[in-house]
Amino acid sequence: RSFTSITPPPTCATPTKPRPQTRDHTRTSPSHVAGQTRLKMSSIHGKPEYISVCAGLLEAHELFDLLPTHGKVVTLDADLPMKHALAALASHAAACLPVWDSAQQRFVDIFSCADLVDIVIYTHRALAACDSLGVSAPGSGRSEGSGRGDAQNALERCQLRDLHGLKRSKPSGFVMASVDDSMYHGCVLLKQHRLDCLPLGDASCSSSLLHLLVPEQVLAFLVASNEFRQYADSFAVPLAESVMPHTRPLRTVTRGGTLADLLLLLSAERLPAVPILEANGALFDILSARDVRELAAMTQTNDPSILLEDSLRSLPPSQLRVHSCSPSDTLGMAIARLANPDVTQLVCVDHGVVLGVVTAWAVLSAILPASEG
């Protein structure tokens, strides 16, 4: 396997170390181990069989098996101005990027689309404060609106290490796993720490980062496995029973709302996406944190008072923006659909009523034992 750590100035600076060329694969057959672990876990009282199947399969494989044959890891330096960090997130179509602190010689944070939402809100609150105070440079003769420009420029000049001052909606810190850890261990870390992604290195405290693991990749691995087909009946459980209890609380906005209304919900409750409803409650569209990344790249977040309909028109054209499901659909169906990188989330609708948003993270939570939360 080969890995390329790219460093397009000035956005990336990723230290690397050579990966050992050989690995010891003289281990018990994964399918045999998976069967043993599944039978062992199925004896635990009250566990649905799909949890036992998934736990056994994930225990039998290393995180190394999820690494792509060829890959790149784009990292951001902590001293990078926010303006370039935002550009890097959009240009690489990334959901999250790791942050490297050259002074400490280690990774210290993950910059994600959720952070971008927080930044947009922070920016406009600062600009609103400038406007209310009529800020302008003394003796410059500039108008009140120049205060907005000064505040915008100041924010763009601030560095990634200043993210702690944004009162971010997610917990701080940097959790990392080794590629030699089991997939089960990696999934537990994703669930316990509510991570958007899990950095993988040669060791759990390594300064070399090989890959960013996202929940969708775990689901794609399950779909491609023999066990997923062999135990298909185990995954024929309705979403209402298996996944819906693990989704985030439903929050919606109406079609006539503003971008600011939706951004506040995304940030305050750390939601992956917010459904947009018609006046009669029917589903109209959905806007996610990743959509905000696209809007920010096109400077469509400069005015938060813009109507949601106008924001949606600014997004890149897509053949199908809203992917929906029913509470009676099966867990296996949700796993297969969300394993597709083009399907970010599924809006669960029952007889025209929106019930919630199903994400890969929610499915991952559902297939792990409750004790691992």
Side-chain angles (χ1 to χ4, degrees), residues 219-220 223 228 330-341 343 363:
L219 300 189
V223 170
F228 187 75
T330 67
L331 170 62
M333 179 280 302
I335 293 177
R337 293 184 66 185
L338 290 170
N340 182 347
V343 182
V363 172

Side-chain angles (χ1 to χ4, degrees), residues 35 38 49-50 53 226-236:
R38 186 182 67 81
E49 188 178 19
Y50 63 82
V53 172
N226 291 328
E227 285 81 356
F228 187 75
R229 294 182 290 273
Q230 183 179 355
Y231 298 101
D233 291 344
S234 301
F235 295 93

Side-chain angles (χ1 to χ4, degrees), residues 195-246:
L195 302 175
D196 296 317
C197 64
L198 177 65
L200 304 180
D202 282 334
S204 58
C205 57
S206 173
S207 61
S208 175
L209 196 154
L210 300 177
H211 187 60
L212 291 179
L213 175 67
V214 293
E216 293 87 342
Q217 291 173 290
V218 178
L219 300 189
F221 172 81
L222 291 175
V223 170
S225 68
N226 291 328
E227 285 81 356
F228 187 75
R229 294 182 290 273
Q230 183 179 355
Y231 298 101
D233 291 344
S234 301
F235 295 93
V237 185
L239 292 177
E241 300 175 15
S242 55
V243 179
M244 293 307 294
H246 298 272

Side-chain angles (χ1 to χ4, degrees), residues 168-309:
R168 302 159 78 186
S169 57
K170 70 175 185 180
S172 59
F174 188 84
V175 179
M176 191 172 182
S178 166
V179 292
D180 293 322
D181 292 334
S182 70
M183 291 186 193
Y184 184 81
H185 175 70
C187 292
V188 169
L189 289 179
L190 282 167
K191 181 179 180 180
Q192 286 181 340
H193 297 279
R194 297 198 61 83
L195 302 175
D196 296 317
C197 64
L198 177 65
L200 304 180
D202 282 334
S204 58
C205 57
S206 173
S207 61
S208 175
L209 196 154
L210 300 177
H211 187 60
L212 291 179
L213 175 67
V214 293
E216 293 87 342
Q217 291 173 290
V218 178
L219 300 189
F221 172 81
L222 291 175
V223 170
S225 68
N226 291 328
E227 285 81 356
F228 187 75
R229 294 182 290 273
Q230 183 179 355
Y231 298 101
D233 291 344
S234 301
F235 295 93
V237 185
L239 292 177
E241 300 175 15
S242 55
V243 179
M244 293 307 294
H246 298 272
T247 60
R248 302 289 294 157
L250 177 64
R251 297 292 184 267
T252 62
V253 293
T254 59
R255 182 175 178 176
T258 65
L259 179 61
D261 298 331
L262 191 142
L263 292 178
L264 288 173
L265 283 177
L266 285 174
S267 177
E269 305 197 30
R270 205 184 168 206
L271 301 174
V274 174
I276 303 171
L277 307 183
E278 300 276 11
N280 62 1
L283 178 64
F284 170 65
D285 209 317
I286 188 168
L287 198 71
S288 68
R290 297 187 186 189
D291 290 326
V292 176
R293 175 195 64 197
E294 301 299 328
L295 292 173
M298 299 180 290
T299 67
Q300 295 299 312
T301 56
N302 289 348
D303 182 9
S305 63
I306 188 174
L307 293 178
L308 283 171
E309 286 191 72

Side-chain angles (χ1 to χ4, degrees), residues 16 27 40 61 105 127 198 251 255 295 313 370:
T16 59
R27 49 188 301 186
K40 178 181 177 181
H61 290 81
Q105 285 295 294
L127 297 179
L198 177 65
R251 297 292 184 267
R255 182 175 178 176
L295 292 173
R313 291 193 199 99

